[in-house]
Amino acid sequence: MTQQRAQFATRLGVIATTVGSAVGLGNIWRFPFEAGVHGGGAFLLIDLFFIFIIGVPVVCAEFIIGRHTGLNVRGAFRKLAPGRPWGIVGYLGLLASILILSFYSVVAGWTLEYIWQSLNSFGGVTSVEGLHGQFDSFATSDWRPAMWTIVFLAINYLILARGVQKGIEKMSNIMMPLLFVILVVFCINSLRMPAAAEGLTFLFKPDFSQVTPSVMLGAMGQAFFSLSLGLGCLITYSSYFKKETPLLRTAGIMAWLDTMVAILAGVIIFPAVFTFGMEPAAGPKLVFEILPSIFMHMPGSMMWSVLFFILLFLASLSSTISMSEITIAYMTDEYGFSRRRATAYNIGVAMLLGSVCALSFGSLSGWTVCGLTVFNLFDYVSSNIILPVGGMIISIFVGWVLDRTVVTSELMTPGSGVKPWMVKAVVICLRYIAPTCIGLVFVCGLGLW
Ligand code: PHE
């Protein structure tokens, strides 16, 4: 067991690290490509529903569990419901965290390749077709993507082994605001493109004929993935919160900023997609093909490109650090591992699985389960299945099982400004709305009904 648990030092630190976990490739890479595949506006609308109506209360539920117990995901449930099966969330969370860390590191590795490529001016290639071809030949080759995945994970190791406060907090404080500013600059650039109107219509005009159960499942998975929700990441982080941290406000700010970044990314990408005559449903490669083409058409292209990919890399890093923290807190709290050793195991497994994911665009592309490559399978199973199931169990637990006085006292800390009706609204959502909506989307989206 822990002696003195580490805490985030400042209020800004709490926001920056939580937002740092939420904001990452999920917003800038995954949101645009999922929205592209699932028809744009309608996907965005359902995503927003899941973020604000279901997501914010479930984020609060994770915060309540984490801060109240001050423990890792497994230990928290053991303390709150000893001998009962709720702790299954803990195991699901550990599984999801390693699956996500593995495929996520591949894409984060792509950002490293692109920093390198930007420094080399993309080998002098300037045409849109040439840039697209370049991405394809890189991603489908073997050793470079795998190498970058491993380099990325090694960087994670170096930061994680230094500990919570020093490593994570400092980096997030500087990086998050900078990312925001640069996204706004790119947005303005995209809004001046010839097909801006077409892109914005695609992103914001919901076409309800496109809404199918699988679109709903995809949007629910995106909302959970983007909020880092349902796998105990926020339980772990909130175990480092101070007693005064206002949970509801922190959840609200996090959801809001997270959504803003995803929408900004959409506004950057889709006008360019239509301007350059690309297919919005291109899948995971969409963003990596489009971005260099955008930069090429800006004055000072190389500088923008380098800056952007460095920031994207840092945003990914603050997300993967939060994923790893789930397993590291578990291994150090429960089994007394040293932080260094726990980190080494976690990163070691991710390097192995991550390399397989990296190769699944190249020589292992034939390894498929239900038509999904290893990379896609890890993404689908974790985002669309484990995270919503975890979120559902967490919301039922806090809504029905956890003592109401704990919920109230955690949400209504002095100075938080939370009124009794707000607590009631959160509880109603956790008891009825969240479990019903998640259950329904599941049953329909997975074709069980
Ligand atoms: N929310 C992160 C992103 O959008 C990904 C993430 C998922 C981080 C799960 C932690 C846990 O990039």
Side-chain angles (χ1 to χ4, degrees):
M1 285 288 152
T2 46
Q3 311 86 26
Q4 178 65 54
R5 200 167 181 75
Q7 285 194 335
F8 290 129
T10 60
R11 171 105 187 83
L12 175 66
V14 168
I15 298 285
T17 27
T18 323
V19 175
S21 166
V23 173
L25 294 169
N27 313 63
I28 295 167
W29 161 75
R30 199 174 186 283
F31 171 76
F33 101 68
E34 285 280 335
V37 170
H38 291 119
F43 179 89
L44 174 62
L45 208 65
I46 305 169
D47 184 37
L48 290 178
F49 170 82
F50 272 100
I51 289 189
F52 288 100
I53 309 295
I54 313 290
V56 170
V58 185
V59 169
C60 285
E62 287 210 21
F63 283 171
I64 291 169
I65 296 175
R67 187 176 55 193
H68 180 66
T69 58
L71 288 171
N72 69 87
V73 56
R74 183 74 192 88
F77 280 97
R78 220 194 19 243
K79 180 168 172 187
L80 294 174
R84 287 192 281 160
W86 294 100
I88 182 93
V89 182
Y91 292 123
L92 285 176
L94 289 167
L95 174 65
S97 74
I98 197 75
L99 293 182
I100 297 178
L101 182 60
S102 306
F103 79 82
Y104 200 95
S105 299
V106 175
V107 184
W110 294 351
T111 64
L112 290 175
E113 163 79 12
Y114 269 50
I115 294 173
W116 175 257
Q117 290 285 355
S118 311
L119 289 170
N120 287 317
S121 305
F122 289 90
V125 179
T126 50
S127 71
V128 174
E129 296 74 26
L131 289 166
H132 295 179
Q134 231 178 14
F135 178 78
D136 265 341
S137 62
F138 157 69
T140 53
S141 69
D142 279 341
W143 78 270
R144 273 180 89 84
M147 173 201 72
W148 286 123
T149 306
I150 289 174
V151 169
F152 177 75
L153 284 163
I155 299 172
N156 274 261
Y157 173 82
L158 294 177
I159 293 176
L160 280 162
R162 291 182 62 203
V164 180
Q165 218 161 308
K166 275 184 283 167
I168 308 175
E169 198 171 336
K170 274 191 197 143
M171 195 186 69
S172 302
N173 285 353
I174 311 166
M175 189 209 84
M176 300 309 303
L178 192 57
L179 180 67
F180 217 81
V181 172
I182 195 164
L183 285 176
V184 172
V185 173
F186 290 150
C187 255
I188 297 169
N189 175 63
S190 281
L191 289 173
R192 294 168 54 215
M193 288 186 175
E198 221 178 316
L200 295 184
T201 308
F202 178 81
L203 179 63
F204 291 117
K205 194 159 171 243
D207 170 4
F208 289 104
S209 65
Q210 300 259 3
V211 180
T212 60
S214 85
V215 170
M216 298 196 53
L217 183 67
M220 176 168 80
Q222 171 59 25
F224 276 81
F225 184 88
S226 186
L227 290 174
S228 311
L229 191 56
L231 74 169
C233 178
L234 302 176
I235 294 183
T236 310
Y237 261 22
S238 55
S239 75
Y240 306 124
F241 284 5
K242 293 190 167 165
K243 282 291 162 218
E244 311 77 69
T245 306
L247 300 187
L248 188 57
R249 200 182 321 151
T250 306
I253 294 177
M254 170 190 170
W256 193 76
L257 289 177
D258 190 55
T259 306
M260 287 295 294
V261 174
I263 292 181
L264 286 178
V267 174
I268 295 171
I269 300 294
F270 289 110
V273 166
F274 288 96
T275 301
F276 300 132
M278 265 191 82
E279 184 47 53
K285 63 181 186 172
L286 177 75
V287 172
F288 281 84
E289 287 193 341
I290 275 293
L291 284 171
S293 325
I294 298 179
F295 302 142
M296 285 301 168
H297 290 79
M298 287 171 81
S301 58
M302 189 180 115
M303 178 200 79
W304 289 117
S305 189
V306 174
L307 188 61
F308 180 81
F309 285 112
I310 289 180
L311 286 172
L312 190 53
F313 154 72
L314 292 175
S316 325
L317 198 56
S318 61
S319 298
T320 50
I321 280 171
S322 73
M323 285 167 217
S324 299
E325 195 60 31
I326 305 175
T327 334
I328 295 170
Y330 169 71
M331 290 169 83
T332 49
D333 282 1
E334 300 287 309
Y335 296 104
F337 277 59
S338 70
R339 197 175 165 88
R340 239 165 238 284
R341 218 166 123 219
T343 309
Y345 280 125
N346 178 55
I347 296 294
V349 173
M351 280 184 176
L352 250 159
L353 294 177
S355 306
V356 177
C357 288
L359 296 181
S360 77
F361 288 88
S363 46
L364 300 186
S365 58
W367 286 17
T368 57
V369 179
C370 303
L372 297 173
T373 61
V374 180
F375 179 98
N376 290 330
L377 183 72
F378 281 16
D379 184 4
Y380 189 89
V381 170
S382 51
S383 313
N384 291 1
I385 300 179
I386 304 183
L387 302 192
V389 167
M392 182 150 112
I393 302 177
I394 289 168
S395 60
I396 295 174
F397 180 78
V398 173
W400 294 93
V401 181
L402 191 64
D403 195 341
R404 183 70 71 85
T405 54
V406 172
V407 178
T408 312
S409 66
E410 287 296 338
L411 288 179
M412 294 180 72
T413 41
S416 66
V418 172
K419 308 273 180 303
W421 69 266
M422 298 179 187
V423 177
K424 208 173 225 162
V426 170
V427 172
I428 290 178
C429 184
L430 294 176
R431 284 192 151 200
Y432 308 105
I433 305 177
T436 317
C437 289
I438 299 173
L440 273 177
V441 171
F442 252 133
V443 174
C444 303
L446 293 176
L448 304 174
W449 178 57

